[in-house]
Structure formats: structure tokens, C-alpha cells
């Protein structure tokens, strides 16, 4: 099935305790579309770049079958740029620079060929911009997945809630779930957020894995315990891209299949953090990915034979 | 199999956002032995109480088959007393009062009938006291499980490491694992801690579940997402008691069986937090416990059919 992915395609400068990567490629839609391209050959990218974005990276995405008809190139302008520094424990980061550049006036325009896509992944962007993508679809997609962040809860909660009301799967982290709902308990937070519109809620907990909720079920997915996280940038976007790509490939939006999609997303994200930028996703082989999926099975499997309680 | 459980039997005064419980019974060995008694009828308690400890609670423990030959009663003295207040999110608490009372001079004395137990659970106590229990055993138990806390890492690291060198399973939380090892990554922390002596390490992550490590394997157990945590006091001790009790019942100390023991521990702990003190453990039925075990299965189970990655 075809999958529209909307979000940033950008430059990042990243400092971690392990080193510094200067002006490497990044962005939610870059990570997301590369991850999704492992699952479906009909990824349709919607984003904007400046004249400075390297052709080699566009060629790489094209080689993975990522359609770039919806990628706007702004002559004489610069791509979105983000710079950040991670703390020693890698769980926190400080933003050093955010240069919106082409993103400041970004108005997504969907090519005709995108407007009948069954699956849509809205990467983190201003909620009004995400809404304009939904509005351009010729028919209601089978599934709209939306990522967002605390920043929009701080400055655009009304717009955010309007967009959330239109989508099927919301992916946010635990602190964002608490902020959005006003509830500390994630179970209560999930109930309130599902009342806002989505059928499914994915709560990303970083090194603690992820939770999937619908009104009647909950699934707890582990994160792979890692000896070293080299650079967490893009892990959430990679997760979302693989999650969406898996669903688009299997075309099954049941709770059971969402569980599988989360495991695929978690496995793919566990590679992303091994190197800077999209390096590891580029070198990733099918065999490596399948082996890691098996690791997730062994990480969580147990059977309750021989239990006798009194 | 017989299971010796050493630890505090005490009074707690607890304040949570939901209310206050004044001078209710608690302590690691109280929670642990009640939880373990669901699995084995040969729980052997080692602890100390003052004259103020209610006979009704001792009678209750006796009714669950908990052997109290190793429970010292100090005439004219008071039981150990702890008072704490939980923050609104229930993940943090402040200690208000710690009155050691009988604990100050506690020297565990094992009755002869305890000294051949195959399983030993050392609840959180001064590491030298835990060591004196090990030294009294007539033969090396099949499995020694030890719980401890950051307090002993702060003031008695040398004694702590000596005791850790003598045991098989260490149960600590994630921050304690980091403090004990000096490593932030839990994978690296686990490797260092296993080098200190234990064959298994259980890292308790509260609302994020638990990790089980041996030198070659890792298992990620979920915590049950709860709408409300009424009082977390005793959850870790209940976890450890059910974990130890399950192992003593099944008499199988393989990695696969440790996984099951962790699920049982997590399930039992999820009841403990529903009410103050040991109230919920007392009212818990076999049917409720079995139903919750099934919930843990559905919470984590997935199958990776139909995955095709490129």
C-alpha cells in the first residue's frame, strides 16, 4: 500500500559524549521514509529543502524507491537546521540552534498521485501544517498516524487538538502524554487521549520501550537494552517510519498487527542509534534486521507452565 | 523446597495523595514472606519485633504456614518504625522518620531447622547482617537471593561487595545498579555486577518493569500499567518474595524459570500497591492472581508472522 510521509528533511549538528557530527542529514521525514522503505516500495515523501541539501542523499532515497514528487526545493534558500548536545547519560539533550530556514514558510503541496494513499504518516510539524496535509487527501486514508511534541502543546494546544481529532494513531512520549492529558498515570492519560479522537495511542518511553493502547487493550513493548547509545537522534522518527511502513505493507490495522508494527519500529530504531545520522540505516542488511527481530522475541518471551498458587 | 526469608517486620506510617495509614504493619520480610507463602508452605522467617507488634498479624502469618521460630521478640522494646510521604506522582518519596528500635541490635539467629534450607532470600538489611545469615547455613543453599539499597552503597560499600560476592541473585533498582557499577548503561552495569559474583541480576524499574540478566541472556519483563497506584510501599519486597517463593516451589534455577518467577513477582506486586500495608495481599484470591498472570501474558505477547523486510 502507498504511504505518504510528511515531515522535515534537514541538517543536524550533534554533539554526544562520543563525538560530534557536523551538518549531517536528518529530519523526521528523512529517517521515517528510509525506515519505511524497508517495508513498502511506495513511500511518498512530502517535505521541503533548500539548495544546500546534498544530491547524493536524494539519490540514496530515490534508490530506495522513495518518491520525491512532493519534496519542494527552494532555490537560493537553506534547509532546516537543528543543532543539539546530548548530556552524558544520553537521555537528555539541549537544543543549541534551530534555524527554520525553508521550514518557516513551508506549505505542503501533495502531488495528485499522493492524494489517494491509504496510509499517511504525519511527522512532527506545526499541527496546522499537518492538518493541511489531511485536507488535501482525495479520500479519507485507511490510517493516519501522527507524531508531535511538547513544543506544540506549549504554544498551539488548540490547533494540536483539532488535528489529533482527525487522526487514527498518535505517537508521543510519556511526558508528552502526561502534558496532553493532564494525567500522571499513563493508563488514565491514554483514556483521555483516546477520547480526543485517535483509535490507537503509542507512548514511546525511550530506553523503557513503548506502550500501545486502544480503548480495550494495552501492549507493552520492550526496548532492546543497549550497551552503548552512540546518537539517539532520529530514533523516534525511525520507529514511526518502520511502524507505518510495516502497517502499509501488511495492510492490517488490527491491534494484533499494531503490536508487530511496534516491534519492527523498535528493532529498526535500535540500529539508528548505533551511528550518527542515517549511516547505520544505510548499511543495515535484511539479515541484521531479521536477527534483531528474533532478539526482541527472546527478550520478551516466557511461558507460565507449572505455576501453582494458593 | 524450604525458603528462609530474612528482613524487617515493622510498622510504617505512610502518606500518599490518597490518604494516610498510621502505624500499619510492613517490612521487607513481612511482605516477602506473605507473598512467598502463596507458593511454598515452608517459608522460614528470620526477623525481630518488639512487644508492640500485633499478635493478630503474627497469627495471620502463621495461618499462611510461615514458620516463626526465627522471629525474635524483644520484651519491653519497640518494633522498627518507618514513616514516609509519597510525592504526587508516587514515584518519589521522602523519609520522615526512621526509628531503628529493635533493629539497632538485631543479630539474626537461625534455628537448626532453617540451616539446611535450599533457598534463602536476604531482604534489605545491613550487608554484614545479611552475611551472618549466610554463615549460619549448614550447607551452601541452592540459591541465595539478596535485596539491598543505595543507602548501603553510600555508607558500607566494602561490606556490601563482600556479601554480594557470596550470593546468586541480586535484586536492585536501576539507579542502584548504576551506583553500584559506576556505569550508566544498564547492559554495562549488569556485566560489571555479574563480575562481582552473582549469577543473575534483576534490575527493578518500577513502572517500567524489570530486567533479568545473566552473562549470556537478558529478559525484559513489563510492569502492568496501572490506572492508580494507591501505595507503592512493599511492592519491591512483595516482588522479591513471590520471585523467591516461585523458585522454591518449582526448584528450577534456570534462566527460563527465572523469567517466570519475575512475572509472578510482578503480578503479585501489582496487587500490593492497590491498598495500604498488606491489606490487598490478604484479600487476594487464587483466581485473581491467576487472572492477573494471564493479563501479563496478553500484555507482552506478539508474533512476528508476515514480516518481509528489504
Amino acid at each position: 500500500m502507498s504511504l505518504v510521509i510528511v515531515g522535515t528533511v534537514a541538517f543536524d549538528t550533534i554533539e554526544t559524549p562520543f563525538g560530534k557530527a557536523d551538518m549531517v542529514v536528518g529530519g523526521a521525514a528523512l529517517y521515517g521514509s528510509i525506515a519505511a522503505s524497508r517495508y513498502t516500495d511506495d513511500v511518498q515523501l512530502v517535505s521541503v529543502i533548500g539548495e544546500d541539501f546534498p544530491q547524493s542523499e536524494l539519490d540514496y532515497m530515490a534508490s530506495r524507491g522513495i518518491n520525491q514528487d512532493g519534496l519542494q526545493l527552494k532555490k537560493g534558500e537553506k534547509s532546516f537546521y537543528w543543532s543539539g548536545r546530548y548530556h552524558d547519560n544520553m537521555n537528555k539533550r539541549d537544543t543549541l540552534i534551530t534555524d527554520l530556514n525553508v521550514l518557516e514558510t513551508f506549505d505542503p503541496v501533495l502531488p495528485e498521485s499522493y492524494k489517494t494513499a491509504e496510509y499517511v504518516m504525519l511527522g512532527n510539524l506545526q499541527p496546522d501544517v499537518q492538518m493541511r496535509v489531511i485536507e488535501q487527501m482525495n479520500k479519507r486514508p485507511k490510517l493516519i498516524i501522527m507524531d508531535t511534541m511538547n513544543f506544540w502543546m506549549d504554544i498551539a494546544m488548540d490547533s494540536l487538538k483539532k488535528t489529533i481529532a482527525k487522526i487514527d494513531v498518535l505517537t508521543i512520549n510519556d511526558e508528552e502524554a502526561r502534558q496532553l492529558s493532564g494525567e500522571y498515570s499513563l493508563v488514565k492519560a491514554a483514556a483521555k487521549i483516546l477520547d480526543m479522537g485517535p483509535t490507537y495511542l503509542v507512548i514511546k518511553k525511550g530506553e523503557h520501550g513503548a506502550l500501545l493502547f486502544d480503548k480495550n487493550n494495552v501492549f507493552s513493548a520492550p526496548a532492546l537494552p543497549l550497551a552503548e547509545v552512540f546518537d539517539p537522534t532520529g530514533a523516534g522518527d525511525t520507529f514511526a517510519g518502520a511502524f507505518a511502513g510495516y502497517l502499509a505493507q501488511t495492510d492490517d490495522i488490527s491491534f494484533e498487527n499494531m503490536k508487530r508494527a511496534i516491534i519492527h519500529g523498535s528493532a529498526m530504531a535500535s540500529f539508528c542509534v548505533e551511528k550518527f545520522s542515517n549511516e547505520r540505516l544505510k548499511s543495515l542488511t535484511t539479515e541484521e534486521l531479521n536477527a534483531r527481530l528474533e532478539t526482541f522475541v527472546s527478550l520478551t518471551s516466557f511461558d507460565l507452565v507449572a505455576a501453582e498458587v494458593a
Side-chain angles (χ1 to χ4, degrees), chain A:
Chain A
M1 294 288 143
S2 54
L3 166 63
V4 168
I5 295 189
V6 190
T8 53
V9 172
F11 285 115
D12 295 332
T13 291
I14 297 152
E15 291 176 53
T16 79
F18 300 105
K20 185 174 178 181
D22 222 1
M23 290 287 281
V24 292
V25 296
L30 179 133
Y31 284 108
S33 62
I34 292 173
S37 74
R38 293 274 170 179
Y39 297 93
T40 171
D41 56 8
D42 203 2
V43 175
Q44 303 176 330
L45 178 63
V46 179
S47 191
V48 60
I49 52 174
E51 221 172 341
D52 52 355
F53 201 80
Q55 184 62 40
S56 59
E57 294 292 340
L58 301 178
D59 291 346
Y60 170 73
M61 288 197 276
S63 78
R64 294 221 45 95
I66 298 167
N67 186 321
Q68 296 170 26
D69 293 349
L71 177 64
Q72 302 171 28
L73 170 61
K74 296 278 175 97
K75 297 265 178 195
E77 292 191 42
K78 283 182 164 180
S79 301
F80 174 55
Y81 175 66
W82 177 83
S83 170
R85 183 189 293 134
Y86 287 87
H87 294 207
D88 279 353
N89 66 21
M90 299 295 246
N91 270 351
K92 289 195 174 170
R93 68 184 188 191
D94 299 320
T95 290
L96 303 177
I97 300 169
T98 305
D99 288 339
L100 289 177
N101 298 329
V102 292
L103 206 62
E104 199 152 9
T105 58
F106 178 46
D107 191 28
V109 178
L110 267 61
E112 280 306 313
S113 61
Y114 286 24
K115 293 183 178 175
T116 53
E118 289 88 354
Y119 290 81
V120 173
M121 169 74 225
L122 303 170
N124 173 44
L125 283 172
Q126 195 189 324
D128 288 339
V129 174
Q130 293 176 312
M131 182 69 104
R132 286 207 293 280
V133 172
I134 299 173
E135 288 167 351
Q136 289 176 62
M137 298 301 292
N138 279 345
K139 61 179 179 65
R140 175 64 165 79
K142 185 167 177 179
L143 194 78
I144 303 175
I145 304 160
M146 173 183 175
D147 192 32
T148 188
M149 69 184 296
N150 53 356
F151 181 70
W152 308 116
M153 298 173 195
D154 292 338
I155 68 160
M157 187 62 110
D158 287 349
S159 299
L160 182 63
K161 286 192 172 171
K162 276 182 197 156
T163 306
I164 287 175
K166 299 288 184 190
I167 58 109
D168 305 296
V169 184
L170 182 66
T171 69
I172 48 180
N173 71 30
D174 42 358
E175 285 318 306
E176 289 159 353
R178 287 172 173 138
Q179 183 174 352
L180 180 59
S181 65
E183 292 284 350
Y184 185 82
S185 152
L186 295 181
V187 173
K188 289 185 176 179
K192 279 202 177 175
I193 291 168
L194 293 176
D195 277 344
M196 295 176 189
T199 307
Y200 297 104
L201 172 67
V202 177
I203 298 181
K204 301 172 287 185
K205 302 193 296 173
E207 65 163 333
H208 301 302
L211 295 171
L212 168 68
F213 290 91
D214 70 7
K215 281 210 194 303
N216 303 310
N217 301 285
V218 55
F219 171 62
S220 172
L224 192 68
L226 296 169
E228 242 156 44
V229 172
F230 189 81
D231 172 21
T233 310
D237 304 316
T238 300
F239 171 91
F243 175 81
Y246 179 83
L247 293 174
Q249 179 193 78
T250 53
D251 194 26
D252 170 358
I253 59 172
S254 67
F255 191 84
E256 281 305 309
N257 205 48
M258 294 267 165
K259 286 157 74 168
R260 295 181 197 115
I262 283 181
I263 298 297
H264 278 266
S266 303
M268 192 79 82
S270 75
F271 285 107
C272 176
V273 304
E274 291 181 0
K275 294 199 174 177
F276 280 128
S277 186
N278 58 357
E279 280 178 52
R280 190 63 181 94
L281 294 183
K282 279 178 164 178
S283 69
L284 178 63
T285 67
T286 305
E287 291 68 31
E288 286 173 325
L289 182 52
N290 280 324
R292 189 144 303 177
L293 290 165
E294 285 307 312
T295 303
F296 272 83
V297 173
S298 71
L299 180 65
T300 57
S301 63
F302 64 90
D303 64 290
L304 286 181
V305 296
E308 279 171 49
V309 292

